[in-house]
Amino acid sequence: MRPLLDRVELPGGPSDVRGLLRVPPGRVRLADYPTDSHPGSHGKTAALTDRHALEPVLAGLQERCYAQGHRTPDRRRLVLVLQGMDCSGKDGAIKHVVGAFNPEGVKITSFKRPTAEELRHHFLWRVERALPGPGDIGVLNRSHYEDVTVVRVHDLVPPEQWQRRYDEINEWERRESDDGVIWLKVFLHISAEEQRRRLLQRLDDPSKHWKFEAADLDERGYWDDYQRAYETVLERCSPPQSPWYVLPADRKWYRNWALARLLAETLAAMDPRYPEPDLDLSALRARLSA
Ligand code: AMP
Ligand code: MG
């Protein structure tokens, strides 16, 4: 009985992929961050084995969070923010890694070009509504960071307006942290060459044609502007309670492994526990046998 109530250990022992991938304070030059490296892993085969070993652990940690958030006053909830260029693997990461969780406790939201209704509100309005309740896990496939990246690159609002948003984002994330949100913000970092390969693969695979948007090719022309916009995000919106992680994402096996590990480390640090049962087991058993 007891082990169920104890701290959850990660397979292979504790790891610090968070420490390896966390953006250090100061000036960020994305060109200095490799896209095809694999910090903390022991190669593809070991990564696949480790990720499979992590799946039941992730599910177990999630269940503890869920039990705690739904049955006690604990308001903590993990929110995974996924950003990255087109084809950086946000959808694949959700399918392969977030898929380890029980869907009942996961709230996944994809952010597209804002609707007319969304545009009538403050840019944080739609993101706030996407946050999960206590004990659940939120996944944001794109997020409020679109409002300082695509919006900045394409001048969708006047500069004074997007320039204010870094502070607004920091204040809002801080308020949400105070209310129990544990942020895990991950930038999937791919090279322009890897994006080109993936776009070509989409063209070669009829089952991927539905995903292909000719406009994505125009966006490639703004590659450097996007990298600059992301550098500002990583410099200005990475305070200690909601830091960014830059994940080298050219290799899918590494992307999936590192994200699984980041999730496991973050959930394990929350140290979720099943609530202490307030049950008189022998009395309940006696009633059932009567
Ligand atoms: P996808 O991720 O392929 O479904 O594409 C979603 C598109 O919506 C991307 O091109 C995003 O840049 C765009 N998008 C998301 N949020 C915003 C926003 N706040 N303003 C403008 N475009 C956005
Ligand atoms: Mg797309």
Side-chain angles (χ1 to χ4, degrees):
M1 280 293 280
R2 288 306 303 174
L4 258 186
L5 301 178
D6 288 345
R7 173 182 276 280
V8 172
E9 305 292 344
L10 301 189
S15 58
D16 189 24
V17 177
R18 287 187 301 172
L20 292 171
L21 302 185
R22 191 182 296 119
V23 171
R27 177 89 180 87
V28 175
R29 282 183 37 83
L30 275 174
D32 297 339
Y33 285 72
T35 54
D36 61 352
S37 59
H38 38 92
S41 86
H42 299 290
K44 182 172 179 175
T45 311
L48 289 174
T49 312
D50 189 44
R51 187 156 67 80
H52 286 126
L54 271 176
E55 280 180 0
V57 178
L58 287 170
L61 284 161
Q62 177 203 15
E63 189 170 88
R64 284 163 169 77
C65 282
Y66 187 94
Q68 205 169 45
H70 286 255
R71 288 285 186 277
T72 78
D74 194 312
R75 289 186 55 75
R76 289 177 305 158
R77 45 249 151 88
L78 176 68
V79 177
L80 170 65
V81 175
L82 284 174
Q83 286 287 159
M85 304 291 286
D86 290 322
C87 297
S88 59
K90 301 181 288 295
D91 300 307
I94 291 173
K95 176 162 131 186
H96 293 290
V97 184
V98 177
F101 295 128
N102 177 349
E104 169 129 32
V106 186
K107 181 170 174 178
I108 303 177
T109 312
S110 296
F111 291 93
K112 312 288 180 190
R113 191 173 281 279
T115 62
E117 190 193 11
E118 287 168 348
L119 282 174
R120 280 197 296 274
H121 291 85
H122 188 269
F123 76 99
L124 291 170
W125 178 76
R126 64 176 186 163
V127 199
E128 179 141 1
R129 287 157 43 109
L131 295 182
D136 291 344
I137 292 176
V139 178
L140 311 185
N141 182 350
R142 303 184 186 271
S143 66
H144 43 305
Y145 287 100
E146 294 292 315
D147 295 280
V148 282
T149 50
V150 63
V151 167
R152 162 174 162 171
V153 168
H154 291 292
D155 296 316
L156 299 182
V157 303
E160 316 81 76
Q161 205 171 328
W162 61 255
Q163 279 161 4
R164 271 204 308 272
R165 290 181 173 174
Y166 302 100
D167 289 337
E168 289 184 87
I169 287 173
N170 288 337
E171 282 160 28
W172 176 72
E173 287 184 0
R174 204 203 144 76
R175 270 203 309 282
E176 294 300 337
S177 301
D178 291 344
D179 188 40
V181 169
I182 312 287
W183 295 100
L184 178 60
K185 303 191 298 192
V186 179
F187 175 66
L188 298 178
H189 186 32
I190 57 165
S191 65
E193 179 52 28
E194 179 63 22
Q195 188 196 54
R196 195 176 70 86
R197 269 195 293 273
R198 290 183 186 181
L199 285 167
L200 280 171
Q201 275 166 10
R202 281 189 188 178
L203 286 181
D204 290 342
D205 180 351
S207 76
K208 296 254 170 75
H209 287 173
W210 67 274
K211 269 191 161 197
F212 198 92
E213 290 179 74
D216 289 349
L217 300 188
D218 301 326
E219 288 302 279
R220 269 177 71 72
Y222 296 93
W223 184 272
D224 291 337
D225 295 338
Y226 273 103
Q227 299 288 300
R228 296 295 86 72
Y230 272 112
E231 286 171 348
T232 311
V233 163
L234 299 171
E235 286 168 12
R236 294 202 48 193
C237 297
S238 201
Q241 81 278 3
S242 56
W244 273 101
Y245 298 91
V246 174
L247 194 163
D250 278 359
R251 299 168 202 246
K252 293 176 183 174
W253 63 263
Y254 180 75
R255 174 199 74 204
N256 292 340
W257 176 82
L259 182 61
R261 215 68 210 179
L262 288 173
L263 283 165
E265 289 174 12
T266 308
L267 287 166
M270 289 165 69
D271 193 16
R273 307 284 177 122
Y274 286 112
E276 287 283 354
D278 182 19
L279 301 173
D280 183 344
L281 296 177
S282 44
L284 292 168
R285 283 201 188 92
R287 279 178 62 189
L288 280 167
S289 350

